[in-house]
Amino acid sequence: MIQQIAKDNEAVTPISREMEGLKEYFPQCFNAQGEFDIDKFREAIQPQVDVTREGRSYDFLGKSYARMLSSMDTTTVIRPDVEHNSKLENQNSENIYISGDNLDALHHLVKSYAGQVKCIYIDPPYNTGTDGFVYNDKFKFTAEELEKKLSISPDEAEKIIAMTSGHRASHAAWLTFMMPRLQLARDLMSKDGVIFISIDDNEQAYLKQLCDNVFGEDCFISSFIWKKRQQPDSRTKNGVSMDHDYLLCYGRREEARVRGKLSDVTKYSNPDNDPRGDWMSDNMVGLATESQRPNLHYELENPATGIVYACPSTGWRYEKKRMAELIAGNEILWPAEPSGRPRRKKFLKDVQSSLTGFSSLFNTVYSTQGTRELSELFDGNDYFDFPKPVDFIKQILEQGIDPSDKEDIYVLDFFSGSGTTAQAAMELKDERVHFIMVQWKEKYAEQSEAYKAGYRTIDEVGMERIKRAAKKIKEENPLFAGDLGFKHYTLEEVPQNTLDKLEAFDSNVILSTEDTLNMFGRDTVLETWLVSDGYGLGAKTEDVVLNKYHATLCGCHLYMTDVDFTEEDMAALVDRYQSDPAFNPDCIVLFGYSFGHNAKDMLEKNKSTINLVKDKNIIIDVRY
């Protein structure tokens, strides 16, 4: 398993991934030694393409290194949170939360979910110099190793090591960090899938070039603008208030489009012939608890009638200054009685857009809304800086989801942060939609409010947010039968002492149950294998009892992890193949450390008997 992956990674080069793609579609261009013949490739595509070199390229320090990382498989294992996943609300959930490095997570996910994700939203670090981004790579290559692997000079190798060791946060370091993640994200996208990436001015231009390189210029859909601030910031040193962020959007293929609706237009009308067009009545009562900010608690007076309306117990949704702007703009619906509740006109033109070209679509959703929403869920406490608003993400997801789709829809966020995307996906209340969240176990400082409240890492807050948001959605929509749970998995590096033991393993020695399997855990080995074999996280399995030996069946794979596989168990396995027409696995997977030479030899010798019964060629796959 891990040992074999580590050996395979040693042979990875910057173009390994591209070569695999060429082998799949142009096998005739490789000789018997596996070497690529460029002349045969030119000949193969000559009728369709006039091969030319444009004389320009996209390059940065670390590009070859980044390409190599996208080809290197992860050496982490997937540990399921058995207690959490077995709870009633989670055991049948198709929502997924992964705690771990997102590069490792993407490598695992692509084995089971390639081509299945409809919409990706990510909010990566912006590399502002103050957001804490420093690329500290976990891979520990020497300069000599990089020289050989990447065919680069000693000087460039040293620069890459310095850049990826957390010594600086340059543009090149940020691009090296992002490139392999985007390459794997592209592999996960469905043919009509789209990806949205939030970014600011620091890296927007660089990200656009990188995405053109990864996804293709023809797959660029648009760069949208989100006006995230309600009021200009007067504290800037250069006199310019940065009130907006960018949202880059690319498709998996050139023909990809954004297509979701932003609102139910049947709710809008124009009974008073307002020149601004159709509108609907919208609530202005705050969603916060009584501990909400005091500046949202005040009486509201109708300037035309003098009627004063009491402040609701949870406050208003807007501060006094913003409320005054709405009143001046004739956007408030005033009830005739003081006991009534004023509401706001919500105009269709402000929420409906086809998302083409530069857009001000998001100018009515401000970043402070995200902070307030998260604070409300955590009883007025702030455990995360600058979370994105739920409405902002909901509008993005609606653009990536085709309303006509009948199949299950996966949305992915591999910089999950506080978990806004998960909450937005659940608030769509669409039973087809399932989320996959990935968040690094970034530690909270001991002096932080989150740490004092008992949270040690950001992913803990993210998961708690999902639970609280799900509870709130269920309370407000008791008839909703959609998926409001999630399964949790943690990615773990194999400790060096375990790797040392695996390296010293003698296949002629029969191990006890206290040895290698327990270093990983049976559930961890099985989960990692199931994902690797394409069955996905949380795949349904069947316990197969062979005399006294317990194996696990999933699809066409029979997994055997435990020690002490006896002749009686072997006889029971052959009998199961012979007597049960529904029992028909094509591949028997062995945890190599649990099987000595005699047990493996016994399986190989009995394979011909099984093949004769089932008229097939059973594969015995021994994994280390």
Side-chain angles (χ1 to χ4, degrees), residues 39 50 59 87 168 212 216 265 304 447 499 547 584 595 624:
D39 292 325
D50 180 19
D59 208 2
K87 291 181 178 178
R168 53 185 303 199
D212 283 346
V265 296
Q447 64 270 26
L499 291 175
N547 188 41
N584 199 28
F595 284 79
Y624 292 97

Side-chain angles (χ1 to χ4, degrees), residues 400-421:
I401 295 173
D402 189 338
S404 66
D405 276 345
K406 304 299 182 184
E407 60 203 34
D408 285 347
I409 295 169
Y410 287 105
V411 298
L412 168 66
D413 183 346
F414 51 90
F415 289 95
S416 179
S418 69
T420 306
T421 303

Side-chain angles (χ1 to χ4, degrees), residues 268-541:
Y268 294 80
S269 61
N270 194 0
D272 60 352
N273 295 317
D274 193 304
R276 290 166 289 190
D278 290 354
W279 54 270
M280 65 173 284
S281 172
D282 194 30
N283 180 36
M284 293 199 305
V285 175
L287 301 177
T289 63
E290 294 181 355
S291 60
Q292 187 188 22
R293 293 177 294 151
N295 60 348
L296 296 180
H297 290 258
Y298 54 87
E299 292 182 336
L300 192 59
E301 181 180 349
N302 183 343
T305 64
I307 297 177
V308 177
Y309 303 89
C311 178
S313 61
T314 55
W316 300 106
R317 188 168 292 183
Y318 311 107
E319 299 176 2
K320 277 188 175 182
K321 185 175 181 180
R322 175 57 179 155
M323 188 70 81
E325 292 174 351
L326 296 174
I327 294 172
N330 192 28
E331 294 186 42
I332 303 299
L333 300 168
W334 302 101
E337 301 296 330
S339 58
R341 187 76 72 203
R343 293 173 68 85
R344 179 191 174 183
K345 282 185 174 182
K346 183 178 181 180
F347 291 96
L348 180 60
K349 69 179 181 64
D350 291 331
V351 297
Q352 188 180 51
S353 169
S354 61
L355 273 180
T356 55
F358 282 91
S359 171
S360 59
L361 170 71
F362 304 113
N363 66 351
T364 58
V365 184
Y366 299 103
S367 58
T368 53
Q369 179 178 323
T371 302
R372 178 167 59 84
E373 290 166 342
L374 189 60
S375 177
E376 289 170 4
L377 286 174
F378 285 90
D379 305 318
N381 296 299
D382 294 327
Y383 296 145
F384 196 88
D385 294 331
F386 312 117
K388 290 293 188 291
V390 174
D391 283 348
F392 175 71
I393 306 299
K394 282 171 66 177
Q395 291 182 27
I396 291 170
L397 297 183
E398 286 173 333
Q399 292 302 316
I401 295 173
D402 189 338
S404 66
D405 276 345
K406 304 299 182 184
E407 60 203 34
D408 285 347
I409 295 169
Y410 287 105
V411 298
L412 168 66
D413 183 346
F414 51 90
F415 289 95
S416 179
S418 69
T420 306
T421 303
Q423 181 175 343
M426 292 189 296
E427 286 197 9
L428 292 177
K429 295 186 286 294
D430 189 329
E431 295 185 20
R432 301 169 303 163
V433 177
H434 309 285
F435 64 74
I436 302 175
M437 300 292 107
V438 183
Q439 176 56 44
W440 171 243
K441 294 175 71 67
E442 183 177 344
K443 294 181 179 180
Y444 278 111
E446 291 188 17
Q447 64 270 26
S448 68
E449 291 302 314
Y451 190 94
K452 294 174 183 177
Y455 301 104
R456 295 296 176 262
T457 53
I458 287 178
D459 61 309
E460 292 178 6
V461 168
M463 287 187 284
E464 180 63 23
R465 182 204 186 135
I466 296 172
K467 295 173 187 176
R468 295 186 179 210
K471 181 175 182 291
K472 181 173 180 288
I473 292 169
K474 190 63 177 177
E475 290 172 350
E476 295 176 351
N477 305 272
L479 298 181
F480 177 60
D483 189 353
L484 295 176
F486 66 95
K487 285 188 168 67
H488 176 225
Y489 304 89
T490 301
L491 305 184
E492 295 182 357
E493 292 283 357
V494 179
Q496 187 58 50
N497 63 341
T498 299
L499 291 175
D500 292 340
K501 291 178 181 178
L502 300 184
E503 189 68 30
F505 169 69
D506 184 352
S507 60
N508 293 312
V509 177
I510 299 178
L511 302 176
S512 72
T513 55
E514 302 302 318
D515 281 309
T516 311
L517 184 59
N518 283 354
M519 295 178 188
F520 297 98
R522 189 174 190 270
D523 293 328
T524 299
V525 171
L526 283 173
E527 197 69 56
T528 306
W529 280 353
L530 288 167
V531 173
S532 179
D533 291 330
Y535 294 112
L537 290 158
K540 300 295 184 182
T541 62

Side-chain angles (χ1 to χ4, degrees), residues 89-239:
E89 64 270 25
N90 302 320
Q91 59 187 9
N92 294 316
S93 176
E94 293 186 57
N95 295 324
I96 295 166
Y97 194 101
I98 301 174
S99 298
D101 186 291
N102 55 17
L103 183 59
D104 291 319
L106 291 167
H107 275 295
H108 283 296
L109 289 171
V110 80
K111 297 170 184 176
S112 281
Y113 299 92
Q116 297 184 42
V117 177
K118 289 281 187 178
C119 184
I120 299 175
Y121 169 76
I122 57 172
D123 185 16
Y126 286 5
N127 195 22
T128 62
T130 59
D131 64 356
F133 172 73
V134 176
Y135 184 17
N136 193 2
D137 198 287
K138 70 177 183 179
F139 299 101
K140 304 302 178 185
F141 295 106
T142 65
E144 292 75 17
E145 288 172 333
L146 289 186
E147 284 180 55
K148 184 177 180 180
K149 279 181 170 288
L150 307 180
S151 300
I152 57 178
S153 68
D155 180 60
E156 187 175 0
E158 292 289 355
K159 288 180 179 178
I160 291 175
I161 289 176
M163 180 183 70
T164 59
S165 299
H167 296 167
R168 53 185 303 199
S170 63
H171 291 303
W174 190 83
L175 293 169
T176 302
F177 170 77
M178 289 296 298
M179 185 175 184
R181 289 160 172 82
L182 293 179
Q183 287 178 319
L184 292 167
R186 181 181 182 275
D187 291 344
L188 285 165
M189 293 164 63
S190 61
K191 293 179 180 179
D192 59 345
V194 291
I195 182 171
F196 295 87
I197 310 171
S198 284
I199 200 65
D200 72 353
D201 277 318
N202 289 282
E203 296 292 351
Q204 185 270 340
Y206 294 94
L207 178 61
K208 174 66 168 63
Q209 285 187 295
L210 178 61
C211 288
D212 283 346
N213 185 264
V214 171
F215 297 99
E217 293 182 33
D218 290 344
C219 293
F220 173 64
I221 293 177
S222 190
S223 177
F224 307 117
I225 290 179
W226 172 42
K227 188 178 184 299
K228 63 179 181 179
R229 293 181 60 85
Q230 187 171 354
Q231 300 295 333
D233 186 356
S234 60
R235 300 166 296 177
T236 59
K237 63 180 181 180
N238 57 11

Side-chain angles (χ1 to χ4, degrees), residues 553-573:
L553 179 66
C554 187
C556 62
H557 287 76
L558 182 68
Y559 299 101
M560 302 171 67
T561 58
D562 297 349
V563 297
D564 299 330
F565 183 72
T566 66
E567 292 184 4
E568 291 77 11
D569 302 326
M570 184 70 247
L573 176 60

